[in-house]
Amino acid sequence: MSEQEALISAVIRPEIRALTAYKVADAAGYIKLDAMENPYTWPEEIKAEWLKIIHKAEINRYPDPEAKSLCQVLKEYNQIPAQSEILLGNGSDEIIQLLLMALPANSTVMAPEPSFVMYKQIAQCLGLNYQGLPLLADNFELDLAVTLATIKSQQPEIIFLAYPNNPTGNLFDSDAIEQIIQQSKGLVIIDEAYAPFTDFSFINRLTKYTNLLVMRTVSKLGLAGLRLGFIAGDSSIINQLNKARLPYNINILTQCSVEFALSHPDMFDQQTEILCHERARMFLQLSTLKEIEPCPSAANFILFRTAKNKATDIFNSLKEQGVLIKILSPQKGLLSDCLRVTIGKPEENNAFIKALKSAI
Ligand SMILES: *Cc1c(COP(=O)(O)O)cnc(C)c1O
């Protein structure tokens, strides 16, 4: 062992040394359909109004540590019940980290598999016990009997359920989720990152269950660059979490920009409506290709299965043709032979379909 290796093993926990970093592909020059971003920007007149707000921002001062004004706007925009509290994060990723940091040592974290990789990644990084809950192979639905039995035997401190799920795109059965909330003695986090693309939500059940928290983000709506997520729930829990939050985690430019952006709900509604329409069109187009099996989606992406062992070739061929999507087959299991495409502008989606037809 070299001196530097000895230093690293002395100062970095083994569970962190064992991790592989979350890699993001370099997208320069590609039609970018890999990261669930909203492809639309803002009309010039709205950008001009925004610049006036930015102009007034006092960046020499610390931001409002509680982001009170933004919290109010978010509560209204998302119809959070008046008696629920919210906590903001630098992206919902930071909120996942905060939730897991607050857990007692040796806690157990559960999430379906496949699902959003950060639940497992952060749990392992913090040295917590992580337990995956395998989804059913035919429809990516929760295996309720197995899930409830696992909860009963392992008593997890926290369960994450992405609703709709990433990367599969489906909404889990809501009765199954309610049973999980009812039978779990720990926290249940419903991660509604894709709320802009579905009418289904657990926000109106926040007042019914004190162990339920609902997390959302503005990233998929069209503000991924600003990094803002929030979690809503019972004030007694949010107040505890707030103690572990860094005081100035939401910078002033994010605070004033998101507040400004959400004062233009019609603009986002229009963009979201186009994307949902494109999602339906893309699903139909993918369904006509006999080598491709798309999964129904309530989010702004579609997961699809290729012929056996063809995912890498198709991914590479798309890339050579200038279209970047996400390859999931390295995650193995139910995602073997799977690729995920984000819904883009109509012309981007057409370019993807054309490239895909030539790739298969
Ligand atoms: C994208 C995504 C997030 C992360 O959102 P940020 O607010 O950008 O950190 C969280 N959960 C799920 C399920 C996601 O797909």
Side-chain angles (χ1 to χ4, degrees):
M1 201 190 281
S2 76
E3 248 181 74
Q4 194 63 12
E5 281 165 352
L7 172 62
I8 286 170
S9 48
V11 300
I12 306 286
R13 284 200 306 277
E15 52 270 29
I16 295 179
R17 281 183 269 135
L19 289 175
T20 41
Y22 184 84
K23 276 200 231 67
V24 178
D26 182 5
Y30 290 102
I31 294 178
K32 193 172 183 319
L33 301 177
D34 66 327
M36 282 81 96
E37 292 147 334
N38 176 340
Y40 294 105
T41 54
W42 302 352
E44 281 307 318
E45 60 277 15
I46 294 191
K47 276 192 187 165
E49 262 185 80
W50 172 46
L51 287 181
K52 283 187 221 156
I53 308 255
I54 298 275
H55 190 90
K56 280 189 279 185
E58 292 187 81
I59 55 169
N60 55 316
R61 306 284 178 201
Y62 280 103
D64 175 358
E66 292 161 41
K68 289 181 285 293
S69 172
L70 176 58
C71 280
Q72 203 44 49
V73 169
L74 286 168
K75 281 186 86 170
E76 274 168 39
Y77 191 87
N78 292 278
Q79 298 174 354
I80 308 293
Q83 61 268 56
S84 301
E85 254 336 307
I86 69 171
L87 172 145
L88 309 191
N90 188 345
S92 39
D93 287 348
E94 192 193 39
I95 298 174
I96 299 169
Q97 187 187 48
L98 182 65
L99 285 162
L100 297 183
M101 281 194 320
L103 295 177
N106 300 317
S107 287
T108 297
V109 179
M110 285 186 187
E113 276 189 359
S115 189
F116 187 48
V117 293
M118 294 314 286
Y119 310 140
K120 181 178 182 179
Q121 174 97 2
I122 298 173
Q124 290 182 334
C125 186
L126 293 170
L128 300 165
N129 305 310
Y130 172 81
Q131 173 69 55
L133 303 162
L135 296 176
L136 296 173
D138 45 344
N139 58 2
F140 297 118
E141 187 51 81
L142 294 164
D143 187 337
L144 187 60
V146 169
T147 296
L148 293 178
T150 314
I151 291 170
K152 196 168 178 206
S153 68
Q154 302 199 21
Q155 299 288 323
E157 277 70 16
I158 196 163
I159 303 172
F160 289 96
L161 298 170
Y163 185 80
N165 191 36
N166 171 14
T168 58
N170 57 313
L171 290 156
F172 299 133
D173 182 71
S174 63
D175 291 336
I177 294 181
E178 284 216 43
Q179 289 194 51
I180 291 171
I181 298 168
Q182 286 161 0
Q183 298 193 27
S184 172
K185 298 207 172 77
L187 296 176
V188 177
I189 314 301
I190 305 297
D191 181 350
E192 297 187 351
Y194 299 96
F197 310 100
T198 177
D199 293 331
F200 292 90
S201 170
F202 274 75
I203 280 192
N204 58 9
R205 272 162 278 201
L206 278 171
T207 48
K208 191 168 166 193
Y209 301 111
T210 49
N211 64 335
L212 168 66
L213 296 165
V214 174
M215 186 166 69
R216 286 189 172 184
T217 173
V218 297
S219 295
K220 313 295 160 46
L221 179 69
L223 303 169
L226 292 175
R227 308 303 299 129
L228 184 82
F230 71 87
I231 190 160
D234 193 80
S235 60
S236 63
I237 294 168
I238 298 292
N239 292 344
Q240 294 296 330
L241 292 171
N242 237 325
K243 296 189 231 165
R245 180 180 64 82
L246 295 175
Y248 303 112
N249 64 331
I250 312 301
N251 74 73
I252 190 168
L253 297 180
T254 296
Q255 289 192 29
C256 66
S257 299
V258 174
E259 194 174 329
F260 168 76
L262 296 185
S263 71
H264 293 275
D266 295 350
M267 176 177 73
F268 289 108
D269 288 350
Q270 276 165 22
Q271 295 178 349
T272 304
E273 199 179 314
I274 298 172
L275 293 171
C276 288
H277 184 266
E278 280 296 294
R279 172 179 71 196
R281 189 176 72 89
M282 284 264 269
F283 184 82
L284 275 180
Q285 297 234 3
L286 289 168
S287 308
T288 63
L289 305 174
K290 68 175 187 307
E291 301 86 346
I292 299 293
E293 191 197 333
C295 305
S297 170
N300 64 339
F301 59 83
I302 294 177
L303 180 82
F304 60 96
R305 195 168 276 135
T306 66
K308 200 154 184 56
N309 298 325
K310 284 282 182 234
T312 305
D313 288 349
I314 292 174
F315 173 78
N316 287 333
S317 166
L318 287 170
K319 218 172 152 184
E320 275 160 28
Q321 298 178 75
V323 181
L324 183 67
I325 65 168
K326 175 85 176 176
I327 181 162
L328 295 161
S329 47
Q331 292 186 35
K332 308 259 174 48
L334 296 187
L335 295 177
S336 304
D337 310 314
C338 284
L339 297 168
R340 183 191 67 201
V341 61
T342 300
I343 309 299
K345 295 177 184 176
E347 58 270 29
E348 295 175 319
N349 301 333
N350 290 342
F352 159 73
I353 293 285
K354 183 159 174 257
L356 180 64
K357 282 180 177 165
S358 120
I360 55 183

